[in-house]
Amino acid sequence: MSFLKFAFRGLFAHRTRTILTLASMTVAVAVLFTLVSFNRGYERALKSQLQSMGIHMLVVPVGCPYEAASLILKGGKIPSYLPASALDDVLKVKEIEIAAPSFMSGIVRPEEGRTDIYVGIDSTTLRLKNWWRIKGRFLSGPNDVLIGSDVAQIELSQVGDQIYVPEMDRTLDVVGILEPTGTEDDGMFYIQLATAQEMFSKPGQLTAISIRLVNPDDAPVVTSRLGNIKGAEVITMGELLGTMMTLMGAAKSLLLSIVLIIIVISALGVLNTVLMSVFERTREIGVMRATGAGRTHVFGLVWLETLMLSFLGGAGGLVVALFGARLLEGLVKRFLPLAPKGSVVALEPGSFLLVMLFVLGIAVAAGFYPALRAARLRPIEALRKE
Amino acid sequence: MLLFLVQTGSAALCVWRAPDADIAAVFGSGTYKTVFEDVNKDRQARIEKRLGTALDPDETQFKFFPVFQNKKRVGTVMTHAGKGQFGAIEVVVAVIEDDSGAKVKAVRVQRDREKAKAALRSAAFLGQFKGMRANDEFRISNDVGSLKSAAKGAEKASQAVASAVRKLLVVYDEYYGNAAGSGEQKAEK
């Protein structure tokens, strides 16, 4: 206990210097813990959102589906579509429980700074998205439109209202409004498949077929069977998740590199603080050695100071991260591509332990040299030092 | 579910989408700033009494955009989203003050989905509001003897525009105009 007190006194002999070192350590650990928690939370939230969609795979036209999505958002035409016959081929596969065809296209509304996304669907989508709660009813006529809750809010629409699409000179009847789903569905205009194909002059063509399997374990078998459909490719939800995580990977690597640099700088700060403390206490260490303290005691004392400094900084960083992570999450989600709904920060004990172990590992390394230097001091020379 | 019902069809607040273009068109030039004013119960009651209708649920705060030329305030812009026949209509109203109080300098429609878009945005329709004050008659109709003519083919939308202009004039009057002195302290201009 007295050993701890001794270390504590030595550490806080120069309070300002120690507090500044602690602050830098706190910031570094807070950023690292938040980043680790964000990484885990993002992957989990994305996986959960993809699973909650109830879709196991998508059949899309050959080409980059992300480029197609980007083109649709900009109101552009995608280079290729699926023929209606692709749906017949899909339905021949017995392992498939539901196959929902869709046609998606966008109309840019520069005045409003957004794109209206129209999705042509049929009743199979209702079976696929069985979590949908609709105020009103589902689509039954060629001019029916089912709108997401965000659209209803933007257009101040209620069931029974009409929405005019000036670009197509078409009037749609709002027959239903989706209760908020927390997904991109909230911002869509759903119309009948044939209506969408007609509105965008693509009769008989599809942009995707969403598939739910009877048994999700059959995904590899079904993927290989669907591989024969001409002009189509199959994307499983696992692949989609992998691609999204890869897209995030570059940004994550950059952030992690920055955090590691911050931690190295903090570790150098710790090393500097403890080393300065050793230099300033050379005479004191000499007295300790002269009165019977061994090299191991001195080494242990200095090392303990480093560990304490890092532990306090680490603990402070974790507390800051616990309180600050939610605030940060709100900011980050605004700029994050492909951000899933819900929390993307998972503050877990596992991450907590991982970060603490990492910090203590850094402390052990940073404290080694000052501790060794202190232990090697010869008592006679140390006592002579002014 | 309750939240859903509240959200739907009740969003009177909207952004000012093209401030630079609107200022250039209405005032020639100028800069602007944004002022938020909270709606307390007294003010809400007075505004609702004058309008004869309740404020929308999201109108717990009003936004004013005072416009300046050479640091001198030359007018104020306000915005409002109302329900037209085929979707939301966002209206921008610029008011100026003279010895009798606030009056409309210009009205613009910044967003709509109306079939008669051109008529609704025409100078013939929107120009009718120029010079109107909060206590004027805002009835819109194509009937003989009505005070203002609706934009042809956009009758419901025309009424939505008229209601928005009236509401914004009343709100301005309650915060900065003649009515602001009664009841509580006038908002700082």
Side-chain angles (χ1 to χ4, degrees):
Chain A
M1 187 62 189
S2 59
F3 206 58
L4 259 178
K5 261 187 185 170
F6 207 62
F8 199 75
R9 204 196 64 191
L11 204 56
F12 282 90
H14 289 275
R15 200 168 292 174
T16 312
R17 190 172 65 202
T18 304
I19 287 173
L20 284 174
T21 310
L22 272 176
S24 76
M25 200 70 191
T26 298
V27 170
V29 170
V31 175
L32 180 66
F33 183 51
T34 305
L35 192 68
V36 170
S37 305
F38 176 77
N39 187 33
R40 292 191 173 180
Y42 180 82
E43 190 168 350
R44 187 178 304 167
L46 201 58
K47 203 178 278 182
S48 157
Q49 186 160 331
L50 287 175
Q51 281 168 355
S52 74
M53 287 165 71
I55 298 169
H56 297 130
M57 55 179 64
L58 288 167
V59 177
V60 293
V62 171
C64 176
Y66 309 102
E67 188 191 347
S70 170
L71 279 168
I72 287 171
L73 282 172
K74 288 172 188 162
K77 299 277 177 263
I78 59 174
S80 57
Y81 294 87
L82 288 173
S85 60
L87 181 63
D88 301 328
D89 295 333
V90 167
L91 290 171
K92 284 175 192 161
V93 180
K94 65 176 175 24
E95 288 87 354
I96 291 174
E97 182 189 347
I98 302 169
S102 61
F103 179 92
M104 184 187 281
S105 196
I107 297 175
V108 179
R109 302 184 67 82
E111 206 174 49
E112 298 166 33
R114 68 188 178 99
T115 302
D116 288 350
I117 307 285
Y118 290 84
V119 188
I121 53 173
D122 65 12
S123 58
T124 49
T125 296
L126 201 55
R127 285 175 56 213
L128 197 69
K129 301 194 176 194
N130 52 12
W131 67 89
W132 273 5
R133 296 287 172 267
I134 300 172
K135 186 188 175 199
R137 62 170 174 81
F138 190 66
L139 310 167
S140 65
N143 293 322
D144 289 354
V145 62
L146 170 68
I147 54 176
S149 57
D150 288 350
V151 175
Q153 198 175 351
I154 290 166
E155 294 301 341
L156 306 176
S157 294
Q158 289 172 317
V159 174
D161 286 350
Q162 289 186 312
I163 284 182
Y164 180 59
V165 190
E167 297 80 2
M168 304 284 170
D169 191 22
R170 187 159 193 138
T171 306
L172 300 169
D173 302 313
V174 180
V175 296
I177 297 173
L178 285 180
E179 285 188 25
T181 62
T183 69
E184 67 280 358
D185 295 355
D186 294 342
M188 304 289 181
F189 293 74
Y190 291 97
I191 50 182
Q192 282 201 331
L193 183 59
T195 305
Q197 290 165 335
E198 181 209 325
M199 264 175 70
F200 295 95
S201 308
K202 296 287 173 195
Q205 298 194 300
L206 306 171
T207 50
I209 301 170
S210 307
I211 291 171
R212 183 188 295 167
L213 302 175
V214 177
N215 179 2
D217 294 338
D218 290 335
V221 179
V222 176
T223 303
S224 106
R225 287 189 188 163
L226 295 178
N228 300 327
I229 300 174
K230 202 178 171 187
E233 65 178 309
V234 182
I235 301 171
T236 63
M237 285 297 119
E239 286 169 351
L240 201 58
L241 178 69
T243 311
M244 285 178 172
M245 292 310 293
T246 307
L247 284 172
M248 281 290 294
K252 261 175 21 193
S253 305
L254 182 70
L255 277 174
L256 198 62
S257 310
I258 294 168
V259 173
L260 287 176
I261 290 169
I262 295 172
I263 285 182
V264 167
I265 292 169
S266 297
L268 289 173
V270 170
L271 188 147
N272 180 55
T273 302
V274 180
L275 200 56
M276 288 294 288
S277 171
V278 168
F279 287 151
E280 286 159 3
R281 287 153 58 207
T282 304
R283 203 177 153 77
E284 188 183 318
I285 291 168
V287 171
M288 280 172 66
R289 290 294 313 279
T291 52
R295 285 180 191 275
T296 326
H297 288 114
V298 174
F299 185 92
L301 180 69
V302 176
W303 216 356
L304 184 65
E305 284 180 22
T306 319
L307 283 174
M308 279 171 67
L309 194 61
S310 304
F311 183 81
L312 287 174
L318 293 174
V319 171
V320 169
L322 282 174
F323 287 101
R326 298 289 171 211
L327 276 174
L328 194 71
E329 181 182 28
L331 285 172
V332 169
K333 278 185 86 171
R334 284 188 179 187
F335 307 104
L336 187 71
L338 312 167
K341 300 280 178 175
S343 178
V344 292
V345 176
L347 300 166
E348 298 171 334
S351 310
F352 183 93
L353 276 174
L354 185 78
V355 171
M356 247 358 229
L357 283 173
F358 182 72
V359 168
L360 291 177
I362 292 273
V364 167
F368 187 76
Y369 176 66
L372 194 67
R373 193 170 172 112
R376 279 182 177 171
L377 280 173
R378 292 175 62 194
I380 301 279
E381 284 172 14
L383 284 167
R384 276 194 202 134
K385 186 130 183 163
E386 288 300 320
Chain B
M1 184 63 188
L2 192 63
L3 180 68
F4 176 68
L5 290 174
V6 168
Q7 283 177 342
T8 305
S10 60
L13 301 182
C14 68
V15 295
W16 188 11
R17 296 182 186 276
D20 293 339
D22 288 346
I23 287 174
V26 177
F27 296 99
S29 64
T31 56
Y32 76 99
K33 65 178 185 177
T34 308
V35 177
F36 294 93
E37 298 284 4
D38 289 332
V39 181
N40 62 30
K41 282 187 177 175
D42 286 347
R43 245 184 191 134
Q44 182 178 354
R46 285 207 308 273
I47 292 169
E48 289 180 344
K49 190 178 173 189
R50 288 179 71 180
L51 292 174
T53 176
L55 290 177
D56 290 312
D58 64 340
E59 287 179 311
T60 55
Q61 195 178 52
F62 287 109
K63 239 187 317 186
F64 300 90
F65 305 98
V67 178
F68 301 89
Q69 283 174 349
N70 300 320
K71 295 184 180 175
K72 188 185 169 204
R73 185 169 178 159
V74 291
T76 303
V77 171
M78 291 168 285
T79 59
H80 184 272
K83 192 170 174 173
Q85 191 169 347
F86 298 103
I89 294 179
E90 291 180 2
V91 179
V92 178
V93 177
V95 298
I96 52 172
E97 288 202 39
D98 60 13
D99 295 341
S100 307
K103 64 177 184 181
V104 174
K105 180 167 172 64
V107 177
R108 296 170 76 80
V109 173
Q110 66 173 1
R111 178 169 84 94
D112 75 284
R113 280 182 172 273
E114 297 304 309
K115 287 183 182 176
K117 185 187 276 279
L120 189 70
R121 295 183 178 213
S122 68
F125 172 66
L126 295 176
Q128 297 179 101
F129 296 101
K130 192 171 179 179
M132 290 191 79
R133 298 178 192 274
N135 293 325
D136 288 346
E137 175 61 67
F138 274 80
R139 192 155 37 90
I140 293 275
S141 166
N142 281 334
D143 298 341
V144 176
S146 65
L147 294 163
K148 304 286 173 199
S149 299
K152 198 173 178 191
E155 285 74 14
K156 187 177 174 184
S158 301
Q159 189 57 59
V161 173
S163 300
V165 176
R166 181 170 175 242
K167 183 194 270 187
L168 294 178
L169 276 171
V170 167
V171 167
Y172 181 89
D173 195 39
E174 287 293 333
Y175 280 88
Y176 301 109
N178 296 334
S182 62
E184 64 184 277
Q185 203 176 358
K186 196 169 179 170
E188 193 186 339
K189 278 191 185 178

